């Protein structure tokens, strides 16, 4: 696993945006079969949370997640099969819960402590590669949405955070699967 170069990112985004509807449906079906828990988390749970706040940005989120999935598939290969790493999503959920819970319950903490937790959340963990170009690109798609639509800042921040989590999950999935198949 490596951080995408500008050239890889450009070509992968070009590929993702060129997929026709029928091919896209087939890719989504295969994704759901290969990674059912990840699929449900991203395309049902996350999008529903965003959709409760703003339906249009939930649609942008879904489109962005599809493209992100296509980028990973184009650069890093086919989606790893659930059976290779069946406890992946359970472990990721526990890690995310540990990181996100203090931020969610942080209503009674100082702004300084809150900012520190946010910074830690968005910082690469030991051995983790952040896809900064990919994250930046999709943050820009959300900002672009904001120029054409009215949306409260907390929903924008939530959407960007969810996209960050999706990218982190895919990164971790591919990294763990590659490590498991090498040994």
């Amino acid at each position: 696993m490596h951080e995408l170069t500008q050239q890889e990112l450009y070509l992968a985004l070009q590929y993702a945006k060129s997929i026709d509807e029928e091919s896209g449906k087939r890719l989504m079906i295969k994704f759901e079969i290969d990674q059912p828990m990840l699929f449900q988390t991203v395309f049902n749970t996350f999008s529903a949370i965003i959709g409760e706040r703003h339906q249009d940005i939930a649609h942008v989120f879904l489109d962005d997640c599809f493209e992100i999935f296509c980028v990973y598939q184009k650069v890093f290969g086919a989606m790893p099969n659930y059976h290779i790493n069946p406890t992946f999503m359970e472990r990721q959920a526990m890690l995310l819960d540990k990181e996100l819970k203090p931020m969610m319950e942080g209503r009674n903490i100082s702004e300084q402590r809150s900012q520190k937790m946010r910074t830690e959340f968005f910082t690469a963990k030991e051995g983790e590669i952040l896809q900064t170009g990919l994250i930046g690109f999709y943050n820009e798609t959300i900002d672009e949405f904001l120029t054409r639509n009215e949306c409260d800042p907390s929903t924008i921040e939530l959407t960007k955070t969810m996209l960050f989590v999706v990218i982190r999950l895919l990164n971790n999935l591919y990294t763990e699967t590659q490590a498991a198949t090498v040994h």
Side-chain angles (χ1 to χ4, degrees):
M1 189 75 183
H2 64 277
E3 185 169 355
L4 298 169
T5 65
Q6 267 191 312
Q7 180 71 10
E8 285 175 318
L9 181 57
Y10 175 77
L11 293 172
L13 287 169
Q14 192 175 41
Y15 161 76
K17 292 179 181 299
S18 72
I19 295 173
D20 64 77
E21 188 175 343
E22 191 58 38
S23 298
K25 285 180 184 177
R26 286 194 304 275
L27 285 171
M28 292 301 289
I29 290 168
K30 178 134 178 55
F31 178 28
E32 186 173 18
I33 291 167
D34 290 343
Q35 286 295 327
M37 291 174 65
L38 179 57
F39 182 91
Q40 293 299 321
T41 299
V42 172
F43 291 98
N44 292 337
T45 307
F46 287 2
S47 66
I49 291 168
I50 296 167
E52 288 174 2
R53 293 172 168 227
H54 197 288
Q55 198 60 46
D56 290 339
I57 201 165
H59 292 296
V60 172
F61 173 81
L62 288 171
D63 291 343
D64 288 353
C65 286
F66 173 76
E67 289 178 9
I68 291 166
F69 157 66
C70 291
V71 165
Y72 273 81
Q73 186 165 310
K74 174 75 174 163
V75 177
F76 300 113
M79 178 65 61
N81 191 290
Y82 165 80
H83 299 291
I84 294 171
N85 196 351
T87 62
F88 171 77
M89 275 306 292
E90 293 169 35
R91 287 182 286 108
Q92 294 301 307
M94 288 188 305
L95 289 172
L96 283 171
D97 185 56
K98 192 167 115 178
E99 290 182 353
L100 290 174
K101 198 173 204 174
M103 288 195 298
M104 301 304 242
E105 295 172 348
R107 299 192 197 291
N108 298 325
I109 63 171
S110 70
E111 181 60 34
Q112 184 180 10
R113 174 73 178 131
S114 175
Q115 187 59 40
K116 184 177 188 254
M117 287 189 305
R118 294 179 58 68
T119 300
E120 288 173 3
F121 179 74
F122 289 106
T123 301
K125 308 307 176 242
E126 186 178 331
E128 182 179 41
I129 297 168
L130 288 182
Q131 298 294 345
T132 53
L134 190 61
I135 293 164
F137 178 82
Y138 284 103
N139 280 343
E140 287 176 19
T141 67
I142 301 304
D143 291 340
E144 182 182 317
F145 169 84
L146 194 53
T147 65
R148 297 183 316 271
N149 300 277
E150 193 135 327
C151 190
D152 69 281
S154 66
T155 301
I156 295 297
E157 197 60 36
L158 172 68
T159 305
K160 287 180 177 182
T161 300
M162 294 283 197
L163 285 169
F164 176 84
V165 170
V166 169
I167 292 168
R168 178 182 266 175
L169 286 171
L170 285 170
N171 241 24
N172 292 348
L173 176 64
Y174 276 85
T175 299
E176 282 189 22
T177 303
Q178 288 174 351
T181 57
V182 169
H183 298 298

